[in-house]
Amino acid sequence: MKTGARTLIEALQREGVDTIFGYPGGVVLPIYDELYDSSIRHILVRHEQAAAHAADGYARASGRVGVCLATSGPGACNLVTGIATAYMDSIPVVALTGQVPTGLLGNDAFQESDITGITMPVTKHNYLVKDVADLDRVIQEAFYIARTGRPGPVLVDLPKDVTTSQMKSGGTVPKTVSLRGYQPTYEGHVRQIDKALDLIARAERPLIYAGGGVVLSGASAELLEFMETAAIPVTTTLMGLGAVPGDHPLCLGMLGMHGTQSANYAVTECDLLLAVGVRFDDRVTGKIETFAPNAAIVHIDIDPAEIGKNKKVDVPIVGDVKAVLQALLRRMKKRGETANWVARINNWKAQYPLSYSDDGRLHPQYVVEQLSDVLKGEGIIVSEVGQNQMWTALYYNFTKPRTWITSGGLGTMGYGLPAAIGAHYARPDMPVVDVAGDGSIQMNIQEFGTVAQYNIPVKVMILNNMYLGMVRQWQELFYDRRYSYTELPPVDFVKIANAYGIEGLKVEEKDGVRGAIETALATDGPFVLDFRVEREENVFPMVPAGAAINEMIGVRQR
């Protein structure tokens, strides 16, 4: 006979799990004892929130399910922010939590928390396992649910007596999973696809609005072929960056609150909007009634709940983005004449390029541009949240899918460093760089201990302006520069890195940027770069809250 803990490890191995990010505690000791001799690599983080973010980063970089493990009570609760982050961005994660023995459930036992109740709103599904005989089935179902349909996190809560119980028989594991009431639709309806093709053939000003669903479905090649075949320009969401090469002639970059002028003008003027793997988020649409006001809208998404949720659409197509794009390509016989429209967009791109002051000072946009020029797309870029995130989205040229990892929907500060750890274990062949702000890096700065312990070659580039930069920007623009509790005291991040045994450099002059980046990338192991950038630099363009997305401020015209 074998214990529940052993059964769990074997079930994880069947699912192809090679890495778990976790932190031990009393009720999960049976699991950790089995991990000790298993083939699964365990990465000891310094905080459970980091375990969830690392599993998330692993999933985004690899396309596989990420796994994290925490003990009961505070350990499980510390996962919640990371689980919610994965949920908002549709990332497949399985979170394993320890729980007090079943006989103590509901008794307010030491380190008990109702983690299934707590996480119900931010998981795709969750389980409380009360019988060791259910373990194999539950783990199989958890991974199936996490990675199929619209991906998302699944939590499995494991009482200690379940992991220590002996299996009475070997049991059988079904070859396939069939869950009543859960049957995702992958193929789009042919009639709806034909309606979309008819609109494409008649459109004079079509635009593709592509999001994270393109990346999650592995549909980048199909999207590229479709946009080139139909000669339709593309703008992407924050989560869709890298779905198509950012330097492609038909790519307009990111749209929305901090989108490019050409992208926001194109959405406002288009007569057909092809929304592909998106959810019409408020940071994209601005004032919703003015978003694509002149356009017929085709919305392709695997989650039927997203279609029509925020914006009425003319042709809904429920299905996997990859499968639907393939069907569109197979059935396309005629496309619209878009040459004049593309020329108009190119004029906007030339007239309204992204720009910042060229005054010889150290601007954060310049740092990101230099990173982009050094890596030339051959790396994985992770970001924290705030101005650093937006500057990276705007000024780094993403050319491939799954090379941009950031918290979009939840906007979680402290996400970047642990997510970069996960990304490294997913893609050890690629350099991984975390672009951070001095505020957000301090949210999970203890993970310097993790990268030092395992000599993880993550490079951390801190755009240090000694402010909570994005909040300060809003205070400058909309609160008369009343900087209420957004100024941060200076921190020597290189000394902190050195205390963990990590090398680092402080850069205060523009001339030192490129050499510092090259030094960091050439170093075997982690490296921290502290860039002392212009303190009151703002992210522009910007759409103020409540405005239409073509009503941008801070724009510059060539």
Side-chain angles (χ1 to χ4, degrees):
M1 293 194 294
K2 59 185 177 182
T3 64
R6 183 61 196 163
T7 301
L8 171 67
I9 297 302
E10 291 179 357
L12 295 174
Q13 290 171 324
R14 279 195 300 274
E15 295 296 334
V17 174
D18 58 21
T19 306
I20 291 176
F21 305 92
Y23 201 94
V27 300
V28 290
L29 286 179
I31 299 172
Y32 271 87
D33 191 59
E34 291 292 344
L35 271 173
Y36 190 80
D37 294 319
S38 80
S39 63
I40 297 175
R41 171 176 49 205
H42 178 276
I43 303 302
L44 176 65
V45 296
R46 298 304 186 266
H47 190 285
E48 291 90 353
Q49 181 185 343
H53 291 327
D56 175 305
Y58 177 97
R60 296 190 202 222
S62 67
R64 301 169 60 196
V65 178
V67 182
C68 56
L69 171 61
T71 193
S72 64
C77 289
N78 282 342
L79 293 176
V80 173
T81 298
I83 293 171
T85 301
Y87 181 75
M88 289 289 283
D89 291 343
S90 305
I91 305 303
V93 169
V94 169
L96 305 171
T97 54
Q99 185 56 275
V100 300
T102 54
L104 293 179
L105 289 171
N107 287 351
D108 294 330
F110 177 68
Q111 292 195 331
E112 179 188 3
S113 64
D114 178 13
I115 196 62
T116 54
I118 291 169
T119 60
M120 189 175 293
V122 293
T123 51
K124 190 175 176 183
H125 193 65
N126 63 29
Y127 294 88
L128 170 59
V129 184
K130 293 185 177 181
D131 189 334
V132 68
D134 295 331
L135 256 179
D136 277 322
R137 173 186 60 81
V138 166
I139 295 301
Q140 187 182 35
E141 289 179 5
F143 277 80
Y144 176 76
I145 293 170
R147 65 175 170 248
T148 57
R150 179 180 180 172
V154 177
L155 181 135
V156 181
D157 201 24
L158 301 161
K160 186 173 182 179
D161 57 320
V162 171
T163 58
T164 57
S165 294
Q166 299 285 328
M167 289 283 285
K168 294 180 181 178
S169 63
T172 58
V173 180
K175 292 183 179 179
T176 58
V177 177
S178 179
L179 298 174
R180 185 178 179 181
Y182 179 69
Q183 301 294 331
T185 299
Y186 289 92
E187 302 296 329
H189 197 287
V190 172
R191 191 175 302 166
Q192 298 299 92
I193 290 171
D194 284 342
K195 287 181 182 178
L197 288 170
D198 181 59
L199 288 174
I200 291 168
R202 293 188 283 113
E204 295 178 355
R205 302 185 307 279
L207 181 70
I208 297 170
Y209 154 42
V214 176
V215 177
L216 294 171
S217 68
S220 293
E222 286 78 7
L223 178 60
L224 182 61
E225 183 181 355
F226 177 75
M227 62 185 264
E228 291 180 339
T229 300
I232 299 178
V234 173
T235 179
T236 71
T237 66
L238 177 71
M239 305 307 299
L241 290 170
V244 295
D247 54 1
H248 192 285
L250 288 172
C251 185
L252 284 69
M254 186 175 70
L255 81 164
M257 177 176 280
H258 292 293
T260 67
Q261 287 178 260
S262 57
N264 287 354
Y265 288 156
V267 172
T268 306
E269 298 296 328
C270 70
D271 63 2
L272 174 63
L273 186 68
L274 299 166
V276 185
V278 296
R279 57 187 182 89
F280 291 88
D281 173 72
D282 59 291
R283 285 297 176 104
V284 164
T285 65
K287 189 177 180 181
I288 190 69
E289 55 267 31
T290 64
F291 184 74
N294 306 309
I297 299 177
V298 176
H299 190 179
I300 303 167
D301 202 285
I302 199 165
D303 186 355
E306 288 296 342
I307 296 180
K309 184 179 80 174
N310 295 327
K311 183 77 174 177
K312 182 181 177 181
V313 302
D314 299 277
V315 180
I317 303 177
V318 178
D320 178 66
V321 166
K322 187 181 185 79
V324 173
L325 287 175
Q326 289 172 342
L328 285 167
L329 285 164
R330 286 194 304 268
R331 299 178 71 83
M332 184 181 292
K333 298 181 177 64
K334 180 183 176 183
R335 65 175 177 85
E337 177 50 60
T338 63
N340 291 338
W341 172 235
V342 172
R344 187 177 177 189
I345 286 175
N346 286 337
N347 183 58
W348 284 331
K349 290 167 74 173
Q351 189 176 2
Y352 303 109
L354 292 172
S355 62
Y356 56 93
S357 177
D358 185 17
D359 56 6
R361 298 176 180 175
L362 181 50
H363 292 274
Q365 300 95 321
Y366 177 78
V367 176
V368 175
E369 284 182 330
Q370 289 300 301
L371 175 66
S372 183
D373 191 56
V374 170
L375 283 177
K376 295 183 168 40
E378 296 302 319
I380 294 176
I381 306 302
V382 187
S383 86
E384 303 287 348
V385 167
Q387 288 181 316
N388 63 88
Q389 180 185 37
M390 292 298 105
W391 284 318
T392 307
L394 291 169
Y395 287 91
Y396 190 94
N397 179 31
F398 295 97
T399 60
K400 299 174 183 177
R402 299 196 182 279
T403 58
W404 168 235
I405 296 174
T406 195
S407 171
L410 199 62
T412 307
M413 291 179 68
Y415 171 82
L417 179 55
I421 292 170
H424 164 72
Y425 284 103
R427 293 295 308 274
D429 57 312
M430 297 277 278
V432 178
V433 179
D434 173 32
V435 181
D438 54 308
S440 57
I441 192 65
Q442 294 185 74
M443 288 278 190
N444 272 313
I445 199 167
Q446 76 285 336
E447 297 311 312
F448 280 171
T450 304
V451 297
Q453 178 180 353
Y454 298 100
N455 196 36
I456 302 170
V458 167
K459 319 303 177 185
V460 180
M461 290 177 37
I462 303 169
L463 305 179
N464 187 352
N465 55 18
M466 290 174 254
Y467 278 113
L468 297 176
M470 188 61 84
V471 185
R472 183 214 57 79
Q473 176 171 331
W474 279 65
Q475 289 174 332
E476 175 188 336
L477 298 175
F478 308 116
Y479 292 89
D480 298 323
R481 300 175 70 95
R482 288 163 56 86
Y483 293 164
S484 178
Y485 302 104
T486 48
E487 185 169 9
L488 299 174
V491 175
D492 191 329
F493 290 104
V494 174
K495 285 186 177 178
I496 293 176
N498 291 163
Y500 281 96
I502 299 171
E503 292 185 68
L505 287 172
K506 181 165 65 176
V507 181
E508 299 180 281
E509 302 293 335
K510 181 179 178 180
D511 290 345
V513 170
R514 191 179 185 94
I517 292 172
E518 291 173 340
T519 296
L521 291 170
T523 299
D524 180 20
F527 204 99
V528 173
L529 293 172
D530 183 356
F531 292 103
R532 299 301 177 97
V533 299
E534 283 295 287
R535 295 199 64 199
E536 293 187 274
E537 189 77 36
N538 289 327
V539 178
F540 289 130
M542 179 181 180
V543 178
I549 64 166
N550 63 334
E551 298 174 342
M552 292 163 278
I553 61 174
V555 298
R556 294 185 181 184
Q557 184 172 345
R558 176 172 289 171

